[in-house]
């Protein structure tokens, strides 16, 4: 496995990567546009709903200015499906050899998930240096990630899972954090209501955070 397609710069695109669950494909485009309006030009559409792949297709076609990724890539087939739909990067919550191989075969940048020092080291052996730390809060939070910075100084993380306005700045202050991920910019009730201005406002607050 090579690491030539590892996105060391994916962590530098934005202080926050919005992790979104799209139930209604009609929400995809206005949601992506609302994020861009708020200054967040990246989106991770999770493959947790039947609307996810069609949503990726719509965003790829209609909002090309947003860096579009697919998240919750948990089986090899997801990687190919997401790439075909138009995703430009892939995020996994955890990492297996088969999953990483399928993800790499797409040629897309991959942000692989790790929750422990051993998992992070296994990914480093494969050449990855930018990792998703998931589930961040449940796995040990800011204290855990700070502890990894000493022994693993060459690895950088995007903590996700339980990250929100109350703790994002704390994560972003760590030397081994490039950005954070989270679903707080796109609450289910706000999407259901089609309140795109609320998404833009949440995005503006997130964009003001500094990594
Ligand atoms: C993810 O897939 O990264 C998480 O489900 C996002 O976690 P959050 O909903 O706690 O932000």
């Amino acid at each position: 496995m090579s690491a030539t397609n590892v996105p060391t710069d994916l962590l530098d695109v934005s202080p926050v990567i919005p992790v979104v669950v799209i139930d209604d494909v009609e929400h995809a485009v206005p949601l992506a546009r609302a994020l861009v309006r708020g200054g967040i030009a990246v989106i991770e559409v999770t493959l947790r709903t039947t609307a996810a792949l069609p949503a990726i297709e719509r965003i790829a076609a209609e909002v090309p200015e947003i860096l579009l990724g697919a998240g919750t890539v948990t089986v090899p087939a997801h990687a190919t499906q997401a790439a075909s739909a138009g995703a430009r990067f892939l995020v996994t919550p955890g990492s297996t050899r088969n999953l990483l191989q399928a993800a790499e075969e797409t040629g897309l940048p991959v942000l692989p998930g790790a929750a422990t020092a051993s998992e992070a080291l296994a990914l480093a052996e494969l050449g990855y240096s930018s990792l998703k730390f998931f589930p961040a809060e449940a796995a040990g939070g800011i204290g855990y990630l700070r502890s990894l910075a000493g022994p693993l100084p060459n690895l950088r993380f995007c903590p996700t899972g339980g990250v929100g306005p109350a703790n994002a700045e704390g994560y972003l202050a760590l030397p081994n954090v490039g950005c954070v991920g989270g679903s707080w910019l796109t609450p289910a009730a706000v999407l259901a209501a089609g309140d795109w201005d609320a998404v833009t406002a949440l995005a503006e607050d997130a964009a003001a955070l500094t990594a």
Side-chain angles (χ1 to χ4, degrees), residues 19 44 46 48 72 93 132 134 160-164 181-184:
V19 178
E44 176 189 328
T46 58
R48 296 180 200 176
T72 319
K132 167 168 165 154
F134 178 81
T160 309
V163 179
S183 61
W184 82 90

Side-chain angles (χ1 to χ4, degrees), residues 11 117 120-121 123-124 128-131 148-149 152-157 175-177:
L11 301 192
L121 279 172
L123 288 165
Y128 292 94
S129 56
S130 295
L131 313 179
L148 292 184
L152 307 176
N154 298 323
L155 296 182
R156 291 205 308 157
F157 297 88
N176 56 348
V177 168

Side-chain angles (χ1 to χ4, degrees), residues 42-96:
V42 57
I43 184 171
E44 176 189 328
V45 177
T46 58
L47 302 182
R48 296 180 200 176
T49 62
T50 52
L53 287 171
I56 289 171
E57 283 174 5
R58 293 266 188 108
I59 295 169
E62 296 183 46
V63 197
E65 63 272 32
I66 202 164
L67 177 59
L68 169 61
T72 319
V73 173
T74 53
V75 294
H78 282 160
T80 336
Q81 291 163 352
S84 301
R88 290 164 60 199
F89 68 90
L90 304 174
V91 185
T92 74
S95 303
T96 71

